[in-house]
Amino acid sequence: MDIRILGSGNAGQVPVWGCHCVACERAKQDVSFRRGPCSLEIRTERGVTLIDAGFTDLAERYEFDEIQRIVLTHFHMDHVQGLFHLRWSERPEKIPVFRPDDEKGTDDLYKHSGVLDFQTPFVPFNKVEFDDFSITPLPLFHSKITLGYLIEKNNFTLAYLTDTVGLPDTTHTFLANRALDCLILDCSEPPMPSAPRNHNDINLALWVYNTLKPKSMILTHISHRLDCWLIENEASLPDGIIIARDGMSVA
């Protein structure tokens, strides 16, 4: 199972259009510092599973037969906008799309789904066994109904938790009873005097790291504001915390 971070940015991505901060200027000069829409690729011998579909060029990145399934964390546009192009394929086959229980979805995706076969919504904490790995949906705190996922195969355990501000007690308790090889966590903001509304800051991310104690933790859904802070302060973070980069291999 090969796991790769497709995108590590927040909705504004990096560089932010029209911004001249040090992080955005760096990303303009060096494409390795660019951040696309937050998403994950899981590749096994059976094909590719995408967690979220924020990139609008997915049809150029993947052949139709490569994508085995798509798993959505939630229906904010920066996590689903790539589906609006994929759905118009005229192939007779369908691509299963797994989702949280959000009746509204986004725009007309449900009404005009095309090749996207939206599955019965996940039930939180009910493990689903795919042919190549298992996945357990976990409730998160966000402005839309949002799920994180515990991904397990053989002896490897990964928690993917974006978008969220802190963790619900039920999710935190569930994960506290697991030995996590890796935790990929939403962290959009530098340290703030009070918690942000929809996303973690460094203070909340450190709390999650210190209480769940994963072997490693990767911060994703990163804004240009956090990148500016990291330029000066990344060395102060614990050794087990890694800053996501687009295309980075996780396992």
Side-chain angles (χ1 to χ4, degrees):
M1 184 167 64
D2 296 322
I3 303 176
R4 183 168 64 100
I5 290 175
L6 281 186
S8 59
N10 68 343
Q13 305 179 55
V14 179
V16 176
W17 188 45
C19 182
H20 301 288
C21 74
V22 61
C24 289
E25 289 299 321
R26 180 181 66 173
K28 292 171 191 174
Q29 296 168 18
D30 184 344
V31 296
S32 70
F33 288 104
R34 290 178 176 266
R35 300 191 184 279
C38 190
S39 49
L40 195 72
E41 174 197 275
I42 303 172
R43 185 180 292 272
T44 73
E45 65 279 1
R46 294 184 176 273
V48 169
T49 298
L50 297 178
I51 298 189
D52 286 337
F55 280 96
T56 57
D57 62 350
L58 293 175
E60 299 169 28
R61 291 172 178 252
Y62 301 100
E63 296 295 331
F64 186 98
D65 295 329
E66 277 187 276
I67 300 179
Q68 188 180 14
R69 65 182 70 89
I70 298 169
V71 177
L72 300 178
T73 60
H74 66 297
F75 281 91
H76 273 149
M77 187 61 75
D78 56 312
H79 292 258
V80 301
Q81 58 197 358
L83 300 179
F84 284 87
H85 180 61
L86 296 184
R87 63 177 171 170
W88 299 116
S89 172
E90 296 184 1
R91 290 280 294 265
E93 301 91 345
K94 299 283 187 177
I95 297 174
V97 181
F98 297 86
R99 59 191 174 98
D101 192 4
D102 185 335
E103 294 181 357
K104 294 182 179 179
T106 303
D107 197 62
D108 65 350
L109 272 177
Y110 287 159
K111 183 177 180 181
H112 300 293
S113 57
V115 299
L116 306 176
D117 185 12
F118 287 98
Q119 304 292 298
T120 301
F122 277 138
V123 176
F125 302 110
N126 278 17
K127 179 186 283 192
V128 176
E129 297 282 355
F130 295 137
D131 291 338
D132 39 4
F133 59 90
S134 69
I135 189 167
T136 304
L138 308 172
L140 299 178
F141 282 137
H142 198 49
S143 57
K144 259 189 171 291
I145 298 169
T146 304
L147 295 173
Y149 296 103
L150 182 72
I151 297 157
E152 298 172 282
K153 183 173 183 178
N154 300 328
N155 295 320
F156 180 77
T157 302
L158 165 73
Y160 186 75
L161 309 177
T162 186
D163 298 21
T164 191
V165 53
L167 296 176
D169 289 343
T170 52
T171 296
H172 188 275
T173 299
F174 178 87
L175 291 174
N177 292 314
R178 301 293 188 280
L180 298 175
D181 293 292
C182 182
L183 192 162
I184 303 176
L185 181 70
D186 175 304
C187 186
S188 292
E189 304 297 340
M192 302 180 71
S194 58
R197 177 171 173 264
N198 267 329
H199 300 278
N200 292 322
D201 67 350
I202 286 290
N203 293 329
L204 280 169
L206 287 172
W207 176 81
V208 172
Y209 178 73
N210 290 326
T211 56
L212 294 184
K213 302 184 185 304
K215 291 180 182 178
S216 66
M217 186 167 80
I218 300 172
L219 302 183
T220 193
H221 207 280
I222 293 169
S223 70
H224 66 147
R225 295 177 296 277
L226 179 55
D227 262 340
C228 285
W229 183 88
L230 288 168
I231 288 170
E232 300 292 334
N233 298 280
E234 183 174 350
S236 68
L237 296 175
D239 291 340
I241 294 182
I242 301 163
I243 307 305
R245 299 282 285 272
D246 287 21
M248 185 176 80
S249 178
V250 174

